[in-house]
Amino acid sequence: MNVSSANVTVSGREADSFSKALTKNVIVVVLGISINYINAGLIHTFRKHQIFYTNPRYILFIHLVVNDMTQVTLTIILFVISYTIYKLNVSICCIFIIFTVFTTENTPLNLACMAVECYIAICVPLRHMQICTVKRTLMLIGLIWTTSMLSVLPDLFITLATEPLDFFHSRVFCLRQTVFPNPLIIKKRDLTYTVFLVIVWLVIFYTYFRILFTAKTASKDAKKARNTILLHGFQLLLCMATYVAPQLLRVVQQWFPKNYTDSRFTYYIIVQILPRSISPIIYGVRDNTFRKYLKRYLLCKVSIS
């Protein structure tokens, strides 16, 4: 099915022209390639130097980077499919949606864990090495994935139990609500997102203000950690927009009824793409150790031992 029918079906508004659809796809793909290129440089830098993969802070960071690369890649694939293939087999779409939601929900949880690590490093420095070990960090990453799985996999089980077998052989426009249509899933999703929202924001606020009070009388590292938490908070604010996406999109549709497809595209860039470009700034640019090595790889320079 063509671009026109896709846009009419989804939004009920005038379809994008070919040139507009092409422009949107080019913008999304170029942004995705740029972000993934920088993130690939971060991963390469991490792998090449032992100083990074023995430090819990950088382990959590690189997990966030890999998670964001996966999320960006999947969402861009789905975006391009929505303008080209349009409809996907439900079973294939389920796989795309599950992993996309996994990685989307992992991001705020990972940011909360990184904020806690900053808090321990600044406010409890003498116990930092005992509390934040590599083994515990890997266990924490496992807990992040387990939490996301417990949030998402019930959607699949409910759908398997309530939908006929023919549904999984049909073709649909690939959205979460089309492959997991049961109303119970929507209620569960809203409840889960509310709990996530409250817990993660409590963690961010608590760690920020504790570091803020410490930073008034402490070293430059404490002040830098405070600014890092602020950046995490901004990144988290953008990511959290995903949790209230249905409500936000309804508001957008009411405010901009004639430009709904353009508004939805802007929303997608701000909520799905932009937050994934902040991680390289926090560590790839602001962190002196990472920046020193990263510049060599991004500029294709030979590393100096």
Side-chain angles (χ1 to χ4, degrees):
M1 191 154 320
N2 59 24
V3 172
S4 174
S5 59
N7 285 332
V8 170
T9 303
V10 175
S11 65
R13 299 292 184 271
E14 287 297 322
D16 287 340
S17 64
F18 176 78
S19 59
K20 182 183 285 189
L22 181 63
T23 300
K24 288 180 178 179
N25 279 270
V26 169
I27 291 172
V28 167
V29 172
V30 169
L31 285 174
I33 291 174
S34 302
I35 292 171
N36 281 349
Y37 172 71
I38 296 172
N39 284 340
L42 292 170
I43 294 171
H44 183 69
T45 303
F46 175 85
R47 289 180 61 252
K48 286 293 183 179
H49 303 282
Q50 187 176 3
I51 188 175
F52 298 127
Y53 55 80
T54 56
N55 187 317
R57 179 176 303 174
Y58 292 119
I59 293 173
L60 282 172
F61 165 65
I62 215 66
H63 172 255
L64 180 65
V65 169
V66 173
N67 184 82
D68 285 353
M69 283 186 69
T70 306
Q71 198 271 352
V72 166
T73 302
L74 289 173
T75 57
I76 288 175
I77 290 173
L78 289 174
F79 186 90
V80 174
I81 285 175
S82 72
Y83 278 90
T84 52
I85 301 174
Y86 175 49
K87 286 189 174 183
L88 274 182
N89 179 274
V90 170
S91 300
I92 298 174
C93 183
C94 277
I95 297 172
F96 275 110
I97 294 296
I98 285 174
F99 279 100
T100 302
V101 177
F102 276 163
T103 51
T104 300
E105 294 189 2
N106 281 347
T107 299
L109 298 176
N110 202 110
L111 290 172
C113 293
M114 294 175 76
V116 171
E117 191 279 333
C118 280
Y119 159 74
I120 295 171
I122 299 302
C123 300
V124 199
L126 297 179
R127 298 190 59 196
H128 180 261
M129 292 189 67
Q130 289 82 14
I131 297 174
C132 300
T133 63
V134 172
K135 182 178 179 180
R136 287 180 177 176
T137 304
L138 296 176
M139 291 173 62
L140 188 61
I141 291 172
L143 180 62
I144 290 172
W145 278 92
T146 301
T147 303
S148 297
M149 287 180 183
L150 290 176
S151 168
V152 178
L153 288 182
D155 295 1
L156 178 61
F157 298 146
I158 292 172
T159 304
L160 288 170
T162 57
E163 296 296 330
L165 188 60
D166 291 344
F167 172 72
F168 295 94
H169 296 292
S170 62
R171 294 170 67 86
V172 296
F173 189 83
C174 195
L175 296 171
R176 187 176 183 180
Q177 58 265 33
T178 57
V179 292
F180 301 129
N182 193 292
L184 180 63
I185 294 175
I186 297 174
K187 293 179 180 179
K188 181 197 71 65
R189 181 197 65 195
D190 292 343
L191 177 62
T192 303
Y193 281 1
T194 302
V195 173
F196 276 14
L197 221 96
V198 172
I199 293 175
V200 173
W201 274 113
L202 283 175
V203 170
I204 291 291
F205 280 123
Y206 176 79
T207 54
Y208 173 75
F209 284 110
R210 287 299 301 268
I211 292 174
L212 177 65
F213 296 140
T214 303
K216 288 181 178 180
T217 57
S219 65
K220 185 173 70 173
D221 288 339
K223 295 179 181 179
K224 187 174 181 180
R226 180 198 64 192
N227 294 333
T228 299
I229 296 289
L230 267 181
L231 285 171
H232 282 325
F234 175 65
Q235 187 177 10
L236 185 63
L237 184 64
L238 294 176
C239 292
M240 286 297 190
T242 305
Y243 287 6
V244 289
Q247 294 82 359
L248 284 177
L249 288 174
R250 279 197 293 269
V251 172
V252 168
Q253 188 169 4
Q254 291 173 358
W255 287 0
F256 307 102
K258 295 181 180 179
N259 300 303
Y260 180 62
T261 56
D262 294 337
S263 302
R264 192 181 180 101
F265 173 74
T266 304
Y267 170 87
Y268 168 76
I269 295 294
I270 294 173
V271 174
Q272 296 290 352
I273 302 296
L274 184 59
R276 275 78 202 176
S277 66
I278 297 176
S279 295
I281 295 174
I282 295 177
Y283 282 90
V285 177
R286 294 180 70 250
D287 187 273
N288 293 330
T289 307
F290 232 114
R291 184 173 67 245
K292 180 175 67 175
Y293 293 106
L294 181 64
K295 285 168 65 177
R296 299 172 184 172
Y297 296 120
L298 291 183
L299 299 176
C300 301
K301 292 182 180 179
V302 177
S303 178
I304 302 173
S305 61

